[in-house]
Amino acid sequence: MTNRPIRPLLFPFAIAFLLDFSPSVSAQFLPRDALTRLKFEVRADAEAWGGQSSTLGFHGRYFNIMAGGNLGNSFSYYFRQRMKPEAGSIAFFDNTDFLYLNYQPSPRWRLRFGKDAMALGGFEYDAPPIDEYLTSEYWNNIYCFQLAASAAYLFADGRHTLTFQASQSPYLRSLGLNWDDGLWAYNLQWGGALGQHWQVLWSTSLIERQRGTYMNLTMLGTRVAYQRWSLYLDLMHHALGWNDWGRNYGGVLRSDLQLSPSLTLFVKGSCEKNTSKLDLASPQWLDQLVPAGHTFTKGGLGCEYRPKGMETVRLHCYAALLFDHEYNAQTWRSFTFNMGASWGIDFATLIHKE
């Protein structure tokens, strides 16, 4: 008889079974709130593209498994695995978005180590990928989930957090380097609430492109939200060197209007431009985040619908125009129409439900 690993799809059911039917074991070894989150979620889209060429098809976008809870003595953890058909290309944790350990020795300080999102600003970047549509080129290209260590200071009023993080550089991936080749990224992020309706997610980073050579990435995300209406604006600037300022920049704007408890209308647009003088044949072009010599403009209108009493089910659709203007060349235009569905099951709620 051969030993076979449990299939990933069975993990939530196996954990739920052990916790639900082995109370004496879980009480002996785990805190009561060791599993406050256990969920899987799915999104699939049908998409049509029109332009130089036309495409039409169904696309399985996301299948995520998430778990989290408290381990006791001020330690907690969080895990999100994005299930993909291909193996990881760099390291064992490639297809894992989050797998980190938190330690909060006091109400003001939080330390974290493990696989994490780079501490960058912007509300498009901060949202779970499964919730985003019509994403910017920056969002599409950045390889943001990295092994990292961070320290965060939470201000006394609880409305502001300042985070410093050191992580692996995303250039390890684009340059085909190994995890131990020693390229780093250093991120400083401020997240806060300004009054009752305004929020900010601002950051500045130094991302090592090669030993001793850095790209500066600055992200300024600002959001205003009322009961039925919200809007965010993300401004971004990238500099590949000290003589490259003002050449690579962009913005993302999204506004949501809740028409009813079930129906939300949204409009989203982005414009990104890169006039950097970097050779396009360089393997580093990807981590410019927007290819040199290009201007991308995107804009679209869409809606989300959550059936009454079924908040874990979300239907969406949007239509958008996209423009790619290449320097000294023509502008490529395309149109896309997307509709899809997302749904999930929160096993932790079922386990703890009385």
Side-chain angles (χ1 to χ4, degrees):
M1 181 176 180
T2 59
N3 293 324
R4 298 191 179 196
I6 297 176
R7 293 182 181 274
L9 290 179
L10 298 181
F11 285 164
F13 302 98
I15 296 174
F17 177 85
L18 289 173
L19 291 176
D20 199 30
F21 293 98
S22 304
S24 60
V25 174
S26 61
Q28 183 176 358
F29 295 102
L30 296 173
R32 181 180 295 272
D33 54 354
L35 191 66
T36 58
R37 188 170 191 181
L38 179 61
K39 181 180 180 181
F40 80 76
E41 57 185 11
V42 181
R43 173 179 158 187
D45 294 359
E47 194 164 54
W49 280 82
Q52 280 193 306
S53 60
S54 298
T55 60
L56 172 66
F58 293 97
H59 181 31
R61 296 294 300 271
Y62 298 102
F63 179 18
N64 300 328
I65 296 176
M66 296 168 286
N70 297 309
L71 300 175
N73 295 326
S74 302
F75 284 93
S76 62
Y77 71 96
Y78 179 62
F79 164 70
R80 187 175 82 195
Q81 181 75 22
R82 193 183 309 185
M83 308 304 293
K84 294 184 179 180
E86 73 272 9
S89 59
I90 301 174
F92 181 75
F93 291 139
D94 259 18
N95 294 339
T96 303
D97 291 345
F98 297 101
L99 184 56
Y100 58 70
L101 182 69
N102 267 329
Y103 176 57
Q104 191 154 350
S106 74
R108 299 285 188 90
W109 286 97
R110 184 190 67 219
L111 306 177
R112 179 179 294 176
F113 175 74
K115 189 71 179 289
D116 198 1
M118 294 174 65
L120 305 179
F123 286 91
E124 181 188 48
Y125 174 89
D126 189 60
I130 198 170
D131 294 337
E132 280 297 331
Y133 318 109
L134 189 60
T135 49
S136 63
E137 287 301 301
Y138 155 78
W139 191 97
N140 292 336
N141 288 335
I142 190 168
Y143 189 71
C144 66
F145 297 109
Q146 301 288 344
L147 287 167
S150 65
Y153 180 77
L154 290 73
F155 287 76
D157 59 4
R159 299 171 64 86
H160 301 272
T161 302
L162 192 63
T163 303
F164 175 75
Q165 181 194 66
S167 73
Q168 288 183 313
S169 168
Y171 281 96
L172 288 171
R173 184 173 186 256
S174 59
L175 294 175
L177 303 177
N178 295 319
W179 65 270
D180 57 352
D181 279 308
L183 296 186
W184 293 86
Y186 305 98
N187 310 301
L188 181 64
Q189 182 195 66
W190 168 41
L194 305 177
Q196 186 178 356
H197 301 289
W198 291 81
Q199 296 173 282
V200 294
L201 271 176
W202 292 7
S203 71
T204 188
S205 306
L206 287 176
I207 301 175
E208 202 166 17
R209 299 195 289 122
Q210 57 190 34
R211 289 292 181 89
T213 302
Y214 292 87
M215 175 183 74
N216 173 257
L217 170 59
T218 298
M219 298 293 302
L220 304 177
T222 304
R223 182 174 185 264
V224 57
Y226 289 83
Q227 186 174 1
R228 297 178 54 190
W229 171 82
S230 66
L231 178 146
Y232 71 70
L233 173 64
D234 293 338
L235 300 176
M236 59 190 77
H237 179 271
H238 322 126
L240 298 168
W242 299 112
N243 59 347
D244 193 47
W245 291 87
R247 298 179 181 271
N248 192 337
Y249 52 89
V252 180
L253 178 71
R254 172 170 169 165
S255 181
D256 289 53
L257 176 63
Q258 188 175 9
L259 300 178
S260 73
S262 296
L263 182 63
T264 300
L265 182 72
F266 68 86
V267 60
K268 186 175 182 181
S270 62
C271 183
E272 301 159 278
K273 186 172 185 177
N274 184 352
T275 59
S276 296
K277 304 300 183 182
L278 190 68
D279 182 4
L280 287 174
S282 166
Q284 299 181 13
W285 79 265
L286 179 63
D287 290 294
Q288 295 179 89
L289 311 177
V290 177
H294 288 255
T295 299
F296 289 92
T297 306
K298 304 178 182 181
L301 177 70
C303 65
E304 293 181 333
Y305 178 74
R306 297 181 184 270
K308 185 177 180 180
M310 301 173 62
E311 287 75 15
T312 61
V313 176
R314 180 184 64 205
L315 309 178
H316 75 265
C317 69
Y318 68 85
L321 287 171
L322 305 94
F323 301 88
D324 176 7
H325 176 72
E326 190 173 355
Y327 182 67
N328 285 335
Q330 69 184 93
T331 298
W332 309 99
R333 298 175 178 85
S334 60
F335 170 84
T336 182
F337 177 78
N338 181 294
M339 58 188 304
S342 307
W343 62 280
I345 297 178
D346 190 341
F347 288 96
T349 300
L350 297 176
I351 293 169
H352 299 301
K353 187 175 181 180
E354 298 182 357

